[in-house]
Amino acid sequence: MTTLYRNMDKAALDAAYNNSAAVTNSAALMAGFEERSAVSRALPGAVLGLRYGPAERHLIDYFPAERPGPLVIFVHGGFWQMRAKEGFSYIAQAMVPHGLHVALVGHTLAPGATLGTIVQEVKNAIGYLKVHAASYGGDASRMVATGWSAGGHVAAMCLDEPGVVAGMAISGIYDLEPMRLSYVNDKLGLTQPDVADLSPMKLALSDKPLVVAYGEAELPEMQRQSQEFFDLRRSAGKPGELVSLPGLNHFTILEELGNPDGRQIGALRRLIA
């Protein structure tokens, strides 16, 4: 057996990060989120398809609160190579009642773009919102970068963008080395320099507060990534909170994100307060 990473061979490493295979009803769960999102997108006030760049997916969906207030920017997951912002619009229904404006950002998928390009696209979207959010009531000086799974990685990479005051990374990837060595890289095409340049755990740590959230029923590697990233930040004296959610896996944690009284929404409100 040839070990590649943490005493795992290729097959074991692939399984350690195959969230869809680990959660047998993941497709049904995602379909449910998409149905709920379709309802959210049809609500009055939703502003769909704001264009921040020239590519097909350079679009933002904006869900305003009733009054001017802080803006939560959400980046979807899918290992940077699948899914779309449209399937996550349902989270707005949990956040808007708390006075939080919500913007869901689309980006090009790998292999159509490198990971470096994807991160830059999301930064460009944040720059667009910094200029235009006020038109919809969002406070561009109080933006929070959030995301799930691969989007959690991107959110962590965007903490120091102008106007971003804090972040929440949910079930994210913070060391890209196992991605480079696993099946995920078939489309992502990461190199060793990419790992060094794009892994939040290997970069200078932001001084801005970051909530790191994960489910205690997630794959052990996913839990480890969150725990070690938070521990690294805490050891460096960086502000933030670790939110570990009992019984939730990589997909049911999204159910909790849609709960207006859930721990993730509570952590978001504390960040902004």
Side-chain angles (χ1 to χ4, degrees):
M1 180 181 74
T2 302
T3 60
L4 294 177
Y5 183 80
R6 298 180 65 86
N7 295 319
M8 289 181 280
D9 63 8
K10 180 67 160 54
L13 181 57
D14 285 351
Y17 283 93
N18 194 331
N19 295 297
S20 294
V23 181
T24 55
N25 65 334
S26 59
L29 288 169
M30 293 306 302
F33 299 140
E34 290 172 1
E35 290 176 5
R36 291 166 62 184
S37 292
V39 174
S40 296
R41 294 170 64 77
L43 292 175
V47 183
L48 306 180
L50 293 172
R51 180 160 291 284
Y52 71 86
E56 180 182 359
R57 283 177 167 245
H58 286 179
L59 298 171
I60 298 168
D61 294 335
Y62 194 103
F63 298 86
E66 288 187 1
R67 297 174 300 279
L71 173 59
V72 177
I73 301 168
F74 183 84
V75 185
H76 69 83
F79 277 144
W80 309 274
Q81 59 193 262
M82 57 184 174
R83 308 200 191 287
K85 61 178 172 56
E86 288 81 1
F88 298 86
S89 303
Y90 74 95
I91 67 171
Q93 289 182 273
M95 298 182 188
V96 166
H98 293 292
L100 303 175
H101 293 242
V102 180
L104 290 98
V105 173
H107 62 74
T108 306
L109 301 179
T114 66
L115 183 52
T117 297
I118 290 168
V119 170
Q120 186 57 56
E121 287 181 350
V122 175
K123 289 181 177 181
N124 292 346
I126 293 172
Y128 175 93
L129 289 166
K130 181 74 168 66
V131 174
H132 297 284
S135 300
Y136 307 99
D139 186 345
S141 67
R142 286 194 297 160
M143 300 191 294
V144 180
T146 69
W148 165 72
S149 195
H153 160 270
V154 177
M157 292 291 293
C158 293
L159 269 182
D160 286 328
E161 291 303 292
V164 173
V165 297
M168 183 168 75
I170 305 161
S171 304
I173 303 292
Y174 311 107
D175 177 7
L176 295 172
E177 181 65 2
M179 303 295 96
R180 184 181 72 84
L181 297 171
S182 74
Y183 77 98
V184 177
N185 214 35
D186 293 347
K187 290 185 177 180
L188 204 55
L190 290 172
T191 65
Q192 286 182 322
D194 291 331
V195 171
D197 292 341
L198 295 167
S199 293
M201 289 186 70
K202 299 180 184 297
L203 300 173
L205 298 171
S206 174
D207 292 327
K208 295 177 183 177
L210 177 67
V211 169
V212 178
Y214 71 94
E216 293 181 8
E218 296 204 52
L219 287 165
E221 273 293 293
M222 297 298 300
Q223 296 187 54
R224 181 189 65 80
Q225 289 252 359
S226 290
Q227 292 162 355
E228 291 191 0
F229 185 44
F230 176 78
D231 287 345
L232 180 67
R233 286 183 50 85
R234 180 175 58 183
S235 297
K238 306 303 182 183
E241 180 181 351
L242 183 67
V243 177
S244 59
L245 297 163
L248 299 185
N249 61 45
H250 196 67
F251 295 90
T252 54
I253 198 169
L254 288 169
E255 290 273 13
E256 204 271 349
L257 184 61
N259 176 5
D261 299 316
R263 286 185 60 189
Q264 292 174 85
I265 303 299
L268 266 178
R269 296 178 69 193
R270 288 192 295 275
L271 273 177
I272 292 165

